[in-house]
Short mmCIF file of all heavy atoms in Angstrom, two decimals:
data_model
loop_
_atom_site.label_atom_id
_atom_site.label_comp_id
_atom_site.label_asym_id
_atom_site.label_seq_id
_atom_site.Cartn_x
_atom_site.Cartn_y
_atom_site.Cartn_z
N MET A 1 -34.03 8.96 -14.48
CA MET A 1 -32.60 8.67 -14.36
C MET A 1 -32.42 7.21 -13.93
O MET A 1 -33.23 6.66 -13.19
CB MET A 1 -31.96 9.57 -13.29
CG MET A 1 -30.48 9.28 -13.09
SD MET A 1 -29.93 9.76 -11.47
CE MET A 1 -29.60 11.48 -11.73
N ARG A 2 -31.33 6.64 -14.42
CA ARG A 2 -31.05 5.24 -14.09
C ARG A 2 -29.58 5.12 -13.72
O ARG A 2 -28.73 5.83 -14.25
CB ARG A 2 -31.37 4.40 -15.32
CG ARG A 2 -30.92 2.97 -15.24
CD ARG A 2 -31.32 2.24 -16.50
NE ARG A 2 -32.56 1.52 -16.28
CZ ARG A 2 -32.79 0.29 -16.72
NH1 ARG A 2 -31.90 -0.33 -17.45
NH2 ARG A 2 -33.91 -0.31 -16.45
N LEU A 3 -29.29 4.25 -12.79
CA LEU A 3 -27.92 3.92 -12.46
C LEU A 3 -27.62 2.53 -13.02
O LEU A 3 -28.43 1.62 -12.87
CB LEU A 3 -27.70 3.90 -10.94
CG LEU A 3 -28.01 5.19 -10.19
CD1 LEU A 3 -27.85 4.98 -8.70
CD2 LEU A 3 -27.15 6.33 -10.67
N VAL A 4 -26.48 2.42 -13.67
CA VAL A 4 -26.05 1.12 -14.20
C VAL A 4 -24.83 0.69 -13.41
O VAL A 4 -23.90 1.47 -13.20
CB VAL A 4 -25.73 1.23 -15.70
CG1 VAL A 4 -25.19 -0.10 -16.23
CG2 VAL A 4 -26.98 1.64 -16.48
N ILE A 5 -24.84 -0.56 -12.95
CA ILE A 5 -23.82 -1.03 -12.02
C ILE A 5 -23.08 -2.23 -12.61
O ILE A 5 -23.70 -3.20 -13.03
CB ILE A 5 -24.50 -1.41 -10.68
CG1 ILE A 5 -25.17 -0.17 -10.09
CG2 ILE A 5 -23.49 -2.00 -9.71
CD1 ILE A 5 -26.40 -0.46 -9.30
N GLU A 6 -21.76 -2.12 -12.64
CA GLU A 6 -20.92 -3.24 -13.07
C GLU A 6 -20.70 -4.15 -11.86
O GLU A 6 -19.70 -4.04 -11.15
CB GLU A 6 -19.59 -2.72 -13.59
CG GLU A 6 -19.71 -1.82 -14.81
CD GLU A 6 -18.41 -1.06 -15.07
OE1 GLU A 6 -17.33 -1.55 -14.73
OE2 GLU A 6 -18.51 0.05 -15.60
N ARG A 7 -21.63 -5.03 -11.65
CA ARG A 7 -21.61 -5.83 -10.42
C ARG A 7 -20.33 -6.64 -10.25
O ARG A 7 -19.85 -6.84 -9.14
CB ARG A 7 -22.78 -6.82 -10.42
CG ARG A 7 -24.09 -6.16 -10.16
CD ARG A 7 -25.19 -7.17 -10.17
NE ARG A 7 -25.12 -8.11 -9.06
CZ ARG A 7 -25.97 -9.07 -8.86
NH1 ARG A 7 -26.95 -9.26 -9.71
NH2 ARG A 7 -25.85 -9.87 -7.83
N TYR A 8 -19.79 -7.13 -11.36
CA TYR A 8 -18.60 -7.99 -11.28
C TYR A 8 -17.39 -7.23 -10.75
O TYR A 8 -16.41 -7.85 -10.34
CB TYR A 8 -18.30 -8.63 -12.64
CG TYR A 8 -18.39 -7.67 -13.79
CD1 TYR A 8 -17.30 -6.91 -14.17
CD2 TYR A 8 -19.59 -7.51 -14.49
CE1 TYR A 8 -17.40 -6.00 -15.22
CE2 TYR A 8 -19.69 -6.61 -15.53
CZ TYR A 8 -18.59 -5.86 -15.89
OH TYR A 8 -18.69 -4.95 -16.91
N ASN A 9 -17.43 -5.91 -10.75
CA ASN A 9 -16.31 -5.13 -10.22
C ASN A 9 -16.56 -4.62 -8.79
O ASN A 9 -15.71 -3.96 -8.21
CB ASN A 9 -16.01 -3.93 -11.12
CG ASN A 9 -15.30 -4.35 -12.39
OD1 ASN A 9 -14.57 -5.34 -12.39
ND2 ASN A 9 -15.52 -3.63 -13.48
N CYS A 10 -17.73 -4.93 -8.23
CA CYS A 10 -18.02 -4.55 -6.85
C CYS A 10 -17.15 -5.37 -5.90
O CYS A 10 -17.05 -6.59 -6.04
CB CYS A 10 -19.50 -4.78 -6.54
SG CYS A 10 -19.93 -4.57 -4.81
N VAL A 11 -16.52 -4.69 -4.94
CA VAL A 11 -15.71 -5.41 -3.96
C VAL A 11 -16.30 -5.30 -2.56
O VAL A 11 -15.67 -5.70 -1.58
CB VAL A 11 -14.24 -4.93 -3.97
CG1 VAL A 11 -13.60 -5.20 -5.32
CG2 VAL A 11 -14.14 -3.46 -3.61
N GLY A 12 -17.51 -4.74 -2.46
CA GLY A 12 -18.22 -4.76 -1.19
C GLY A 12 -17.90 -3.61 -0.24
O GLY A 12 -18.04 -3.78 0.98
N HIS A 13 -17.54 -2.47 -0.76
CA HIS A 13 -17.29 -1.32 0.13
C HIS A 13 -18.57 -0.88 0.87
O HIS A 13 -18.49 -0.31 1.95
CB HIS A 13 -16.76 -0.13 -0.66
CG HIS A 13 -15.36 -0.29 -1.13
ND1 HIS A 13 -14.29 -0.42 -0.27
CD2 HIS A 13 -14.85 -0.35 -2.39
CE1 HIS A 13 -13.17 -0.54 -0.98
NE2 HIS A 13 -13.48 -0.50 -2.26
N ALA A 14 -19.71 -1.08 0.23
CA ALA A 14 -21.02 -0.76 0.80
C ALA A 14 -21.25 0.73 1.03
O ALA A 14 -22.18 1.11 1.73
CB ALA A 14 -21.27 -1.53 2.10
N ARG A 15 -20.43 1.56 0.44
CA ARG A 15 -20.65 3.01 0.62
C ARG A 15 -21.88 3.48 -0.14
O ARG A 15 -22.54 4.42 0.28
CB ARG A 15 -19.42 3.77 0.14
CG ARG A 15 -18.22 3.51 1.01
CD ARG A 15 -17.17 4.54 0.78
NE ARG A 15 -15.91 4.08 1.35
CZ ARG A 15 -14.74 4.67 1.12
NH1 ARG A 15 -14.68 5.73 0.36
NH2 ARG A 15 -13.65 4.21 1.67
N CYS A 16 -22.18 2.81 -1.25
CA CYS A 16 -23.39 3.16 -2.00
C CYS A 16 -24.62 3.03 -1.10
O CYS A 16 -25.44 3.95 -1.01
CB CYS A 16 -23.53 2.29 -3.24
SG CYS A 16 -23.42 0.51 -2.88
N ALA A 17 -24.72 1.90 -0.43
CA ALA A 17 -25.88 1.65 0.43
C ALA A 17 -25.84 2.52 1.69
O ALA A 17 -26.89 2.83 2.25
CB ALA A 17 -25.94 0.18 0.81
N ALA A 18 -24.65 2.92 2.13
CA ALA A 18 -24.58 3.80 3.29
C ALA A 18 -25.14 5.18 2.95
O ALA A 18 -25.81 5.81 3.77
CB ALA A 18 -23.13 3.91 3.77
N VAL A 19 -24.87 5.63 1.73
CA VAL A 19 -25.36 6.95 1.31
C VAL A 19 -26.85 6.89 0.99
O VAL A 19 -27.61 7.80 1.35
CB VAL A 19 -24.57 7.45 0.07
CG1 VAL A 19 -25.21 8.70 -0.52
CG2 VAL A 19 -23.11 7.72 0.45
N ALA A 20 -27.27 5.84 0.30
CA ALA A 20 -28.67 5.75 -0.15
C ALA A 20 -29.21 4.34 0.07
O ALA A 20 -29.35 3.55 -0.86
CB ALA A 20 -28.74 6.13 -1.63
N PRO A 21 -29.52 4.01 1.31
CA PRO A 21 -29.96 2.64 1.63
C PRO A 21 -31.23 2.22 0.90
O PRO A 21 -31.44 1.02 0.68
CB PRO A 21 -30.16 2.66 3.15
CG PRO A 21 -30.20 4.10 3.54
CD PRO A 21 -29.45 4.86 2.50
N ASP A 22 -32.07 3.17 0.54
CA ASP A 22 -33.31 2.80 -0.15
C ASP A 22 -33.10 2.52 -1.63
O ASP A 22 -33.97 1.95 -2.29
CB ASP A 22 -34.35 3.91 0.01
CG ASP A 22 -34.83 4.01 1.46
OD1 ASP A 22 -34.66 3.03 2.21
OD2 ASP A 22 -35.35 5.08 1.83
N LEU A 23 -31.96 2.94 -2.17
CA LEU A 23 -31.70 2.74 -3.60
C LEU A 23 -30.88 1.50 -3.89
O LEU A 23 -30.99 0.92 -4.96
CB LEU A 23 -30.97 3.95 -4.18
CG LEU A 23 -31.73 5.28 -4.22
CD1 LEU A 23 -30.85 6.36 -4.83
CD2 LEU A 23 -33.02 5.13 -5.01
N PHE A 24 -30.04 1.09 -2.93
CA PHE A 24 -29.09 0.00 -3.21
C PHE A 24 -29.33 -1.18 -2.30
O PHE A 24 -29.31 -1.05 -1.08
CB PHE A 24 -27.65 0.49 -3.02
CG PHE A 24 -27.29 1.56 -3.99
CD1 PHE A 24 -27.43 2.89 -3.65
CD2 PHE A 24 -26.85 1.24 -5.26
CE1 PHE A 24 -27.11 3.89 -4.55
CE2 PHE A 24 -26.53 2.23 -6.17
CZ PHE A 24 -26.66 3.56 -5.81
N GLU A 25 -29.53 -2.31 -2.93
CA GLU A 25 -29.71 -3.55 -2.18
C GLU A 25 -28.39 -4.31 -2.20
O GLU A 25 -27.78 -4.49 -3.25
CB GLU A 25 -30.81 -4.37 -2.85
CG GLU A 25 -31.16 -5.63 -2.13
CD GLU A 25 -32.17 -6.45 -2.93
OE1 GLU A 25 -32.89 -5.87 -3.75
OE2 GLU A 25 -32.19 -7.67 -2.74
N LEU A 26 -27.94 -4.74 -1.04
CA LEU A 26 -26.72 -5.55 -0.96
C LEU A 26 -27.10 -7.00 -0.71
O LEU A 26 -28.13 -7.29 -0.10
CB LEU A 26 -25.82 -5.05 0.18
CG LEU A 26 -25.37 -3.59 0.11
CD1 LEU A 26 -24.40 -3.30 1.26
CD2 LEU A 26 -24.74 -3.24 -1.23
N ASP A 27 -26.23 -7.91 -1.16
CA ASP A 27 -26.50 -9.32 -0.90
C ASP A 27 -25.96 -9.71 0.48
O ASP A 27 -25.43 -8.87 1.21
CB ASP A 27 -25.95 -10.20 -2.03
CG ASP A 27 -24.43 -10.16 -2.12
OD1 ASP A 27 -23.77 -9.75 -1.14
OD2 ASP A 27 -23.89 -10.55 -3.18
N ARG A 28 -26.05 -10.97 0.83
CA ARG A 28 -25.65 -11.42 2.18
C ARG A 28 -24.18 -11.18 2.46
O ARG A 28 -23.77 -11.03 3.60
CB ARG A 28 -25.92 -12.92 2.32
CG ARG A 28 -27.35 -13.28 2.43
CD ARG A 28 -27.51 -14.74 2.10
NE ARG A 28 -28.80 -15.21 2.61
CZ ARG A 28 -28.92 -16.20 3.48
NH1 ARG A 28 -27.87 -16.82 3.93
NH2 ARG A 28 -30.11 -16.56 3.89
N GLU A 29 -23.37 -11.19 1.41
CA GLU A 29 -21.93 -10.98 1.59
C GLU A 29 -21.56 -9.50 1.56
O GLU A 29 -20.39 -9.16 1.72
CB GLU A 29 -21.14 -11.72 0.50
CG GLU A 29 -21.04 -13.21 0.73
CD GLU A 29 -22.31 -13.95 0.36
OE1 GLU A 29 -22.91 -13.57 -0.65
OE2 GLU A 29 -22.70 -14.88 1.08
N GLY A 30 -22.53 -8.64 1.31
CA GLY A 30 -22.24 -7.21 1.31
C GLY A 30 -21.91 -6.63 -0.05
O GLY A 30 -21.51 -5.48 -0.16
N TYR A 31 -22.09 -7.46 -1.09
CA TYR A 31 -21.88 -6.96 -2.45
C TYR A 31 -23.21 -6.44 -2.99
O TYR A 31 -24.28 -6.86 -2.56
CB TYR A 31 -21.37 -8.08 -3.37
CG TYR A 31 -20.01 -8.58 -2.99
CD1 TYR A 31 -19.87 -9.66 -2.12
CD2 TYR A 31 -18.86 -7.97 -3.48
CE1 TYR A 31 -18.62 -10.13 -1.76
CE2 TYR A 31 -17.61 -8.43 -3.13
CZ TYR A 31 -17.49 -9.51 -2.26
OH TYR A 31 -16.26 -9.96 -1.89
N ILE A 32 -23.08 -5.55 -3.95
CA ILE A 32 -24.30 -4.99 -4.50
C ILE A 32 -25.10 -6.09 -5.20
O ILE A 32 -24.54 -6.95 -5.87
CB ILE A 32 -23.96 -3.79 -5.42
CG1 ILE A 32 -25.17 -2.92 -5.61
CG2 ILE A 32 -23.36 -4.25 -6.75
CD1 ILE A 32 -24.86 -1.49 -5.87
N ALA A 33 -26.40 -6.05 -5.03
CA ALA A 33 -27.24 -7.16 -5.47
C ALA A 33 -28.02 -6.85 -6.74
O ALA A 33 -28.77 -7.70 -7.22
CB ALA A 33 -28.21 -7.54 -4.34
N VAL A 34 -27.84 -5.67 -7.29
CA VAL A 34 -28.62 -5.28 -8.48
C VAL A 34 -27.66 -4.77 -9.56
O VAL A 34 -26.56 -4.32 -9.26
CB VAL A 34 -29.65 -4.19 -8.13
CG1 VAL A 34 -30.72 -4.75 -7.19
CG2 VAL A 34 -28.99 -2.97 -7.50
N ASP A 35 -28.10 -4.88 -10.82
CA ASP A 35 -27.24 -4.36 -11.90
C ASP A 35 -27.74 -3.05 -12.46
O ASP A 35 -27.11 -2.45 -13.33
CB ASP A 35 -27.04 -5.40 -13.00
CG ASP A 35 -28.34 -5.83 -13.63
OD1 ASP A 35 -29.38 -5.18 -13.38
OD2 ASP A 35 -28.32 -6.82 -14.38
N HIS A 36 -28.87 -2.59 -11.97
CA HIS A 36 -29.32 -1.24 -12.30
C HIS A 36 -30.31 -0.76 -11.24
O HIS A 36 -30.88 -1.57 -10.50
CB HIS A 36 -29.96 -1.18 -13.69
CG HIS A 36 -31.32 -1.80 -13.75
ND1 HIS A 36 -31.52 -3.15 -13.95
CD2 HIS A 36 -32.54 -1.26 -13.57
CE1 HIS A 36 -32.81 -3.40 -13.92
NE2 HIS A 36 -33.45 -2.28 -13.68
N VAL A 37 -30.45 0.54 -11.18
CA VAL A 37 -31.42 1.15 -10.26
C VAL A 37 -32.19 2.21 -11.04
O VAL A 37 -31.58 3.10 -11.64
CB VAL A 37 -30.71 1.82 -9.05
CG1 VAL A 37 -31.72 2.58 -8.19
CG2 VAL A 37 -29.97 0.78 -8.21
N ASP A 38 -33.50 2.10 -11.07
CA ASP A 38 -34.32 3.17 -11.62
C ASP A 38 -34.57 4.17 -10.50
O ASP A 38 -35.24 3.85 -9.51
CB ASP A 38 -35.63 2.61 -12.16
CG ASP A 38 -35.40 1.76 -13.40
OD1 ASP A 38 -34.64 2.20 -14.29
OD2 ASP A 38 -35.95 0.64 -13.46
N VAL A 39 -34.01 5.35 -10.65
CA VAL A 39 -34.03 6.34 -9.56
C VAL A 39 -35.39 7.04 -9.53
O VAL A 39 -35.80 7.62 -10.53
CB VAL A 39 -32.90 7.37 -9.75
CG1 VAL A 39 -32.94 8.41 -8.65
CG2 VAL A 39 -31.55 6.66 -9.80
N PRO A 40 -36.08 6.99 -8.40
CA PRO A 40 -37.36 7.68 -8.30
C PRO A 40 -37.18 9.19 -8.41
O PRO A 40 -36.13 9.73 -8.04
CB PRO A 40 -37.86 7.31 -6.88
CG PRO A 40 -37.07 6.13 -6.47
CD PRO A 40 -35.74 6.25 -7.16
N ALA A 41 -38.20 9.84 -8.93
CA ALA A 41 -38.16 11.30 -9.06
C ALA A 41 -37.88 11.93 -7.70
O ALA A 41 -38.41 11.49 -6.67
CB ALA A 41 -39.49 11.81 -9.60
N GLY A 42 -37.01 12.91 -7.71
CA GLY A 42 -36.67 13.61 -6.48
C GLY A 42 -35.46 13.05 -5.77
O GLY A 42 -34.95 13.67 -4.84
N GLN A 43 -34.97 11.89 -6.20
CA GLN A 43 -33.80 11.28 -5.53
C GLN A 43 -32.55 11.30 -6.41
O GLN A 43 -31.59 10.58 -6.15
CB GLN A 43 -34.14 9.85 -5.10
CG GLN A 43 -35.25 9.81 -4.08
CD GLN A 43 -35.36 8.47 -3.39
OE1 GLN A 43 -34.37 7.83 -3.11
NE2 GLN A 43 -36.59 8.06 -3.13
N GLU A 44 -32.58 12.15 -7.43
CA GLU A 44 -31.46 12.18 -8.38
C GLU A 44 -30.16 12.63 -7.71
O GLU A 44 -29.09 12.04 -7.96
CB GLU A 44 -31.78 13.11 -9.55
CG GLU A 44 -32.89 12.61 -10.47
CD GLU A 44 -34.28 13.01 -10.01
OE1 GLU A 44 -34.43 13.58 -8.90
OE2 GLU A 44 -35.23 12.74 -10.77
N ALA A 45 -30.22 13.66 -6.88
CA ALA A 45 -29.00 14.16 -6.24
C ALA A 45 -28.42 13.11 -5.30
O ALA A 45 -27.20 12.89 -5.27
CB ALA A 45 -29.30 15.45 -5.48
N LEU A 46 -29.28 12.44 -4.58
CA LEU A 46 -28.83 11.37 -3.68
C LEU A 46 -28.19 10.24 -4.48
O LEU A 46 -27.14 9.70 -4.10
CB LEU A 46 -30.03 10.85 -2.89
CG LEU A 46 -29.73 9.77 -1.85
CD1 LEU A 46 -28.87 10.32 -0.72
CD2 LEU A 46 -31.03 9.19 -1.30
N ALA A 47 -28.80 9.91 -5.60
CA ALA A 47 -28.27 8.84 -6.45
C ALA A 47 -26.89 9.20 -6.99
O ALA A 47 -25.98 8.37 -7.03
CB ALA A 47 -29.24 8.57 -7.60
N ARG A 48 -26.73 10.45 -7.40
CA ARG A 48 -25.41 10.89 -7.90
C ARG A 48 -24.37 10.82 -6.79
O ARG A 48 -23.22 10.42 -7.01
CB ARG A 48 -25.49 12.33 -8.43
CG ARG A 48 -26.12 12.43 -9.77
CD ARG A 48 -25.84 13.78 -10.42
NE ARG A 48 -26.59 13.88 -11.66
CZ ARG A 48 -27.83 14.33 -11.74
NH1 ARG A 48 -28.44 14.78 -10.66
NH2 ARG A 48 -28.45 14.37 -12.90
N ARG A 49 -24.75 11.24 -5.61
CA ARG A 49 -23.82 11.21 -4.48
C ARG A 49 -23.42 9.76 -4.16
O ARG A 49 -22.25 9.46 -3.91
CB ARG A 49 -24.47 11.86 -3.26
CG ARG A 49 -23.49 12.31 -2.25
CD ARG A 49 -23.95 13.45 -1.36
NE ARG A 49 -25.35 13.78 -1.35
CZ ARG A 49 -26.20 13.51 -0.36
NH1 ARG A 49 -25.80 12.86 0.69
NH2 ARG A 49 -27.45 13.90 -0.43
N ALA A 50 -24.37 8.87 -4.20
CA ALA A 50 -24.07 7.47 -3.93
C ALA A 50 -23.16 6.89 -5.00
O ALA A 50 -22.24 6.13 -4.70
CB ALA A 50 -25.38 6.68 -3.87
N ALA A 51 -23.39 7.27 -6.26
CA ALA A 51 -22.53 6.78 -7.34
C ALA A 51 -21.10 7.26 -7.14
O ALA A 51 -20.14 6.51 -7.31
CB ALA A 51 -23.07 7.25 -8.69
N ARG A 52 -20.95 8.52 -6.74
CA ARG A 52 -19.60 9.07 -6.50
C ARG A 52 -18.94 8.43 -5.29
O ARG A 52 -17.71 8.42 -5.19
CB ARG A 52 -19.67 10.58 -6.29
CG ARG A 52 -19.86 11.38 -7.55
CD ARG A 52 -19.52 12.84 -7.33
NE ARG A 52 -20.26 13.45 -6.25
CZ ARG A 52 -21.42 14.09 -6.37
NH1 ARG A 52 -21.97 14.20 -7.57
NH2 ARG A 52 -22.04 14.60 -5.34
N ALA A 53 -19.73 7.91 -4.38
CA ALA A 53 -19.19 7.37 -3.13
C ALA A 53 -18.49 6.03 -3.33
O ALA A 53 -17.72 5.60 -2.47
CB ALA A 53 -20.31 7.21 -2.10
N CYS A 54 -18.75 5.38 -4.46
CA CYS A 54 -18.12 4.06 -4.68
C CYS A 54 -16.67 4.25 -5.11
O CYS A 54 -16.41 4.78 -6.18
CB CYS A 54 -18.88 3.29 -5.75
SG CYS A 54 -18.05 1.73 -6.14
N PRO A 55 -15.72 3.77 -4.30
CA PRO A 55 -14.30 3.93 -4.65
C PRO A 55 -13.91 3.17 -5.91
O PRO A 55 -12.92 3.51 -6.55
CB PRO A 55 -13.56 3.38 -3.42
CG PRO A 55 -14.57 3.32 -2.34
CD PRO A 55 -15.90 3.12 -3.01
N GLU A 56 -14.65 2.12 -6.23
CA GLU A 56 -14.32 1.32 -7.42
C GLU A 56 -14.94 1.89 -8.69
O GLU A 56 -14.68 1.39 -9.78
CB GLU A 56 -14.81 -0.12 -7.23
CG GLU A 56 -14.32 -0.77 -5.95
CD GLU A 56 -12.81 -0.83 -5.85
OE1 GLU A 56 -12.17 -1.05 -6.87
OE2 GLU A 56 -12.29 -0.63 -4.73
N ARG A 57 -15.76 2.91 -8.55
CA ARG A 57 -16.41 3.57 -9.70
C ARG A 57 -17.20 2.58 -10.56
O ARG A 57 -17.09 2.59 -11.79
CB ARG A 57 -15.35 4.28 -10.56
CG ARG A 57 -14.67 5.43 -9.84
CD ARG A 57 -15.61 6.62 -9.77
NE ARG A 57 -14.99 7.77 -9.14
CZ ARG A 57 -15.21 8.14 -7.87
NH1 ARG A 57 -16.01 7.43 -7.11
NH2 ARG A 57 -14.67 9.21 -7.38
N VAL A 58 -17.96 1.73 -9.91
CA VAL A 58 -18.73 0.74 -10.68
C VAL A 58 -20.15 1.21 -10.98
O VAL A 58 -20.87 0.53 -11.68
CB VAL A 58 -18.77 -0.63 -9.95
CG1 VAL A 58 -17.37 -1.11 -9.61
CG2 VAL A 58 -19.62 -0.59 -8.71
N ILE A 59 -20.51 2.38 -10.42
CA ILE A 59 -21.88 2.87 -10.60
C ILE A 59 -21.85 4.04 -11.58
O ILE A 59 -21.20 5.05 -11.33
CB ILE A 59 -22.46 3.33 -9.25
CG1 ILE A 59 -22.41 2.19 -8.24
CG2 ILE A 59 -23.91 3.81 -9.45
CD1 ILE A 59 -22.75 2.62 -6.82
N SER A 60 -22.57 3.90 -12.70
CA SER A 60 -22.64 4.95 -13.71
C SER A 60 -24.03 5.54 -13.75
O SER A 60 -25.03 4.83 -13.61
CB SER A 60 -22.32 4.39 -15.09
OG SER A 60 -21.05 3.79 -15.09
N VAL A 61 -24.08 6.86 -13.94
CA VAL A 61 -25.36 7.55 -14.06
C VAL A 61 -25.73 7.64 -15.53
O VAL A 61 -24.93 8.05 -16.36
CB VAL A 61 -25.25 8.97 -13.46
CG1 VAL A 61 -26.56 9.74 -13.69
CG2 VAL A 61 -24.91 8.90 -11.98
N VAL A 62 -26.96 7.22 -15.85
CA VAL A 62 -27.50 7.35 -17.20
C VAL A 62 -28.69 8.29 -17.12
O VAL A 62 -29.66 7.99 -16.42
CB VAL A 62 -27.93 5.97 -17.77
CG1 VAL A 62 -28.48 6.14 -19.17
CG2 VAL A 62 -26.76 5.02 -17.75
N GLU A 63 -28.59 9.41 -17.79
CA GLU A 63 -29.67 10.41 -17.71
C GLU A 63 -30.84 10.00 -18.60
O GLU A 63 -30.67 9.38 -19.62
CB GLU A 63 -29.16 11.79 -18.14
CG GLU A 63 -28.01 12.29 -17.29
CD GLU A 63 -28.42 12.67 -15.86
OE1 GLU A 63 -29.64 12.78 -15.60
OE2 GLU A 63 -27.53 12.85 -15.04
FE1 F3S B 101 -19.81 -2.26 -4.29
FE2 F3S B 101 -19.03 0.20 -4.63
FE3 F3S B 101 -21.25 -0.24 -3.38
S1 F3S B 101 -17.71 -1.53 -4.26
S2 F3S B 101 -21.03 -2.24 -2.42
S3 F3S B 101 -20.83 -0.73 -5.51
S4 F3S B 101 -19.73 1.24 -2.81
#
C-alpha cells in the first residue's frame, strides 16, 4: 500500500504525524515533507487512520 500526498495543499495541521509519527515526516515549519509514503506491511490500518485524520484531505490511499 502507498499513500500519495498533495503537498501543495498541506496547511500544517500535523494530525497525520500525530496519528502515525513513523510514517509521516514533517519539515521545520510543520508541513508534510514527503509526497508519498510506502506503507510497511502491518501498518495499513494505521496509515488509513492517518490519511482520514487530515482535515484538508491531502492524503490518498493507493492499494
Ligand atoms: Fe498537512 Fe494534513 Fe498532515 S494538512 S501536516 S497533511 S494532517
Side-chain angles (χ1 to χ4, degrees):
M1 178 205 276
R2 170 179 263 222
L3 301 176
V4 176
I5 299 149
E6 298 166 29
R7 286 180 67 180
Y8 45 87
N9 285 330
C10 172
V11 297
H13 288 297
R15 293 196 195 169
C16 52
V19 171
D22 292 339
L23 293 180
F24 296 94
E25 184 185 336
L26 302 184
D27 65 18
R28 287 161 162 239
E29 284 78 39
Y31 295 92
I32 199 152
V34 294
D35 59 12
H36 73 275
V37 174
D38 291 315
V39 179
Q43 297 194 38
E44 292 87 353
L46 183 66
R48 282 195 186 88
R49 200 154 14 107
R52 283 197 304 269
C54 175
E56 307 301 322
R57 295 285 182 259
V58 307
I59 304 170
S60 302
V61 176
V62 180
E63 301 290 347

